[in-house]
Amino acid sequence: MIRTSFNDGWQVRPKVNPFAELSGRVVPFRPVRLPHDAMIEQDRTAPGGEVTMESAGGAYFPGGVFEYRKTFSVPEEYRGKRIFVEFEGVYRDATVYINGDYAGQRPYGYSHFRIDADRFLRFGEENVIRVEARAHRDSRWYTGAGIYRDTWLLVGEVVRIVPDSLRVTTPDIDDSRAVVEVAMDVANDSIEVRTLPVATEILDAAGTVVAKDVSKVTVMPGESATVRQRLYVSSPALWSTESPTLYDCRVTLGDVDEEAVAFGIRTLQLDPRHGLRVNGETVNLRGACVHHDNGVLGAATYARAEERRVEILKEAGFNAIRISHQPMSKAMLDACDRVGMLVVDEAFDVWISGKTEFDYSLNFPEWWERDIEAMVAKDINHPSVIMYSIGNEIPETGSPFGAAWGRRLAEKVRALDPTRYVTNAVNGLLAVMSELGSLRQQRLEQAAKQGAGINTLMADAGDAMGAINSSQLVTERTEESFALLDVAGMNYAEARYALDRELFPNRIILGTETYPTRIDGIWEMVEQYGHVIGDFTWTGWDYLGEVGIGRPQYATEDARRHAHNAPYPYLVAGCGDIDITGHRRPASYYREIVYGLRAEPYVAVRRPEHHGRTWAGSPWAWSDTVSSWTWPGFEGAPVTVDVYSDADEVELISNGTSLGRRPVGAQHRFRTDFETVYTSGDLVAVSYRDGVETGRTSLRSAEGPVRLTVEADREVVATKGGDLVYVDLTLTDAHGTCHTGADRVVSLEVSGPGELLGFGSAAPSTEEQFDGTEHTTYEGRALAVLCATGPGKIHLTASASGCEPVEIVVTTD
């Protein structure tokens, strides 16, 4: 079918009661560009009373019902054809009307779906499509709302290749050739028998045809037929994270239809001795859990935004993404294929037991199969996808009925795609929630025998979680739920890794969610145990919502400050290796060192205003550090400097004076610290192994007048295909050193064929929004995102108090 973008020409407004409109309350529509997040534009509000998980989870954004509409022409020559409107994602409870008539719906906010539109259309006339979407206390994190992913118009003949039915697999591969199995469904909505040729070509990365086949298919009236072909590619180039080679499969159905997909040739193997092997080589998954929002864009899913995230995550040392806790966008899958990033795609955060008042559990029994089908149809041709996760922290996994549900889901996935593995991210604590009281009492009694009190017992929430997950009760309650999987996904359960090697010798484990503060010990086990195939930190990229779970906290008498979530106006979770603007935080460099991917030491300075205070952050909170030696107002004040390294020892040098050497490396958790006083100038860390220097890193204080600098990630931007320009705005000195202590408001002006889609910073707590032209920098940085609206040159001018204005020019293509 001919696929064209359906993103242009939409309008949006808050949905109003039609009876209210009769009384004169009319809310006007306004033009909007898709993809669009209607929630990110709303005013956040402080909740009355105590902070609740529901309000904090959504970053204090209100819910709402939003109405989109579009007027479009349907030419007379389309009469008699099949016409579908495809939505890649609408959050949530999407209901679609065409020319005032109900045309379809989709409760789940993360599944792509198609509306069979031709029966409702008026040919040769204008038509109106209207979409309602609602979000209301239905998630534990920021979801966004509205038509936040791409839309498409599909037009084809009555005999056609069924959309999403072209499936390419490579079941048999060796050095000399690869067997490529191509399957597709052909539908016949006519009233006659149709016999048509099916021509298939396989093209390599250079566009050369390397295999082809022609066969025929006969399709009876009102039926569909499955076509299968086997082709053979000689000397195949294998897809891997290091060499993400892609092929194209092009299929032509007579003179009525054609379809094409990209795919990769690679093998997957799994066993408890060698772990996960890709193309015969063991691969330990260096994984990042990632939510779906795009920071200053909210939930709007632009192709370039997804690609940029994948690129930055890979540069930071990750080789795998677990999208959590919903199916990944098509754009991100495409980027993972091109960049070389492995994917664990996850289906649901809930099954039948709800976690919030109005979540997907209300729809799960009726819709789960269709949503699993949509996920697998989306993923099946992507070589990056190696595993499906059927759920995340599902409470019912600890019961026989929950295990039965898990078996239904796992077998459904296997029936649709037997070429990938199936996991489930199980948290043993949730599986035994009803028995937590007795478990706690057992631990208290055990602690009392050892002379420890409750404060000692609960000093580390991660230890408490590990004790529960490794208990005999969890072992028994989760045994069946783990047994029905190919890979036992475990959240915060590294205490089971060694234990299960003995208890369940055939069990293969993946750390589907772990505390970032424990990566050194966890990664040691990944490298030590063949049955543990990787680790996914929570999280690789910071996100909106679940506010403050990774925020810095210090011991205080105010107990509320030690709650799971932070009060308004906190905005982000604060636990990502990479902040919402794409800037790497200290935890990211520490992780890179633990992975063995960075030789140079890394320097992170603890904020001097908190010197001497007792740390009380959660296990998701890395540290209250900044990689900066610019601390105006703290000259001569005591300060702690952290240094990360895998070497034997590191030396810290301040303005040419050595502060000594300290042991570091794996035996010391890859970190050490130095106590000194802040004096502006240069701070240098030098690492040594066997007395020989292995690397050095320096920080320089920003001095003199503050300058505003601007840098775009590209000079040319496409007007189509979801392309964007990311513009970094930084406060620096004359040498380019970031002024982390000189934050100020930056104002933007955009002229020419471009639009400012989002503008903001990584400030964890702020009342500023992302849809304006002014925003305050955070630690000297802000980020603007532009899109092209037509041909020509886009001009962006930025200004800030005390700084000369700066400008960039981007050409549209």
Side-chain angles (χ1 to χ4, degrees), residues 129-147:
I129 184 170
R130 187 168 60 84
V131 180
E132 293 181 7
R134 50 190 52 79
H136 176 60
R137 287 162 34 189
D138 50 25
S139 180
R140 299 182 298 114
W141 58 89
Y142 177 85
T143 61
I147 309 178

Side-chain angles (χ1 to χ4, degrees), residues 572-650:
V572 301
C575 59
D577 277 23
I578 300 164
D579 71 28
I580 63 169
T581 67
H583 179 69
R584 293 178 65 183
R585 302 168 71 207
S588 174
Y589 294 93
Y590 177 84
R591 184 180 307 279
E592 192 177 16
I593 289 168
V594 171
Y595 286 157
L597 302 176
R598 178 185 171 93
E600 296 82 9
Y602 185 80
V603 181
V605 181
R606 302 184 198 177
R607 297 181 192 272
E609 61 262 39
H610 299 304
H611 188 269
R613 299 181 66 187
T614 302
W615 176 254
S618 76
W620 292 286
W622 177 248
S623 63
D624 197 3
T625 56
V626 184
S627 185
S628 172
W629 197 234
T630 303
W631 300 99
F634 289 93
E635 288 79 4
V639 64
T640 304
V641 178
D642 293 342
V643 182
Y644 313 146
S645 175
D646 65 351
D648 298 333
E649 57 182 359
V650 292

Side-chain angles (χ1 to χ4, degrees), residues 242-542:
E242 294 78 20
S243 181
T245 303
L246 294 173
Y247 288 82
D248 285 319
C249 175
R250 298 181 182 175
V251 178
T252 302
L253 178 64
D255 59 357
V256 299
D257 203 1
E258 59 183 30
E259 190 65 80
V261 297
F263 71 99
I265 299 174
R266 55 108 178 95
T267 64
L268 297 177
Q269 295 169 284
L270 194 64
D271 67 76
R273 179 183 175 189
H274 301 96
L276 172 69
R277 285 182 285 177
V278 180
N279 301 326
E281 298 292 330
T282 296
V283 175
N284 290 329
L285 298 179
R286 305 189 301 268
C289 292
V290 175
H291 266 318
H292 74 290
D293 75 74
N294 274 302
V296 301
L297 299 178
T301 305
Y302 285 83
R304 174 56 190 157
E306 302 288 69
E307 179 182 61
R308 176 176 177 267
R309 280 204 290 169
V310 174
E311 290 172 348
I312 292 173
L313 286 164
K314 187 166 186 180
E315 289 170 2
F318 293 109
N319 66 3
I321 292 174
R322 171 189 172 226
I323 194 69
S324 42
H325 308 285
Q326 68 285 315
M328 183 179 283
S329 72
K330 293 182 179 181
M332 182 170 274
L333 285 172
D334 289 339
C336 289
D337 288 347
R338 292 192 304 269
V339 173
M341 183 72 78
L342 300 171
V343 172
V344 176
D345 205 5
E346 194 154 81
F348 309 116
D349 186 52
V350 293
W351 294 349
I352 54 176
S353 296
K355 296 178 181 178
T356 57
E357 293 97 320
F358 304 104
D359 63 20
Y360 178 71
S361 64
L362 301 174
N363 309 106
F364 177 85
E366 180 182 356
W367 284 89
W368 73 269
E369 286 193 87
R370 281 169 283 189
D371 290 321
I372 288 287
E373 289 165 357
M375 180 179 74
V376 174
K378 170 179 61 69
D379 291 8
I380 196 165
N381 294 312
H382 291 278
S384 56
V385 179
I386 58 171
M387 204 176 308
Y388 298 106
S389 171
I390 57 176
N392 171 71
E393 296 187 338
I394 305 298
E396 53 264 42
T397 51
S399 73
F401 287 101
W405 268 110
R407 196 175 302 278
R408 290 188 191 105
L409 270 73
E411 292 307 312
K412 177 68 175 182
V413 170
R414 292 182 179 116
L416 295 167
D417 183 2
T419 70
R420 269 93 171 186
Y421 304 117
V422 179
T423 189
N424 186 7
V426 175
N427 188 328
L429 182 148
L430 286 160
V432 297
M433 186 69 76
S434 60
E435 281 79 18
L436 281 183
S438 60
L439 280 175
R440 180 176 180 275
Q441 185 61 36
Q442 291 173 18
R443 294 197 67 213
L444 282 171
E445 293 172 359
Q446 182 179 4
K449 292 178 182 179
Q450 298 171 353
I454 183 62
N455 291 333
T456 301
L457 182 68
M458 299 302 294
D460 190 315
D463 289 342
M465 181 78 81
I468 293 170
N469 270 304
S470 60
S471 67
Q472 179 63 26
L473 183 60
V474 168
T475 299
E476 295 171 355
R477 289 290 185 86
T478 60
E479 183 175 0
E480 184 179 1
S481 285
F482 280 138
L484 61 89
L485 304 168
D486 303 309
V487 176
M490 295 188 180
N491 286 10
Y492 309 106
E494 63 269 21
R496 295 206 66 91
Y497 292 0
L499 177 68
D500 282 2
R501 187 184 183 192
E502 305 300 325
L503 292 178
F504 305 99
N506 295 315
R507 178 178 289 179
I508 297 169
I509 294 173
L510 176 61
T512 38
E513 193 169 314
T514 62
Y515 295 120
T517 49
R518 296 181 166 224
I519 181 58
D520 57 319
I522 292 171
W523 196 248
E524 182 180 8
M525 287 188 281
V526 171
E527 293 185 316
Q528 178 183 359
Y529 298 130
H531 72 291
V532 182
I533 64 173
D535 173 83
F536 283 82
T537 186
W538 190 266
T539 57
W541 195 286
D542 208 2

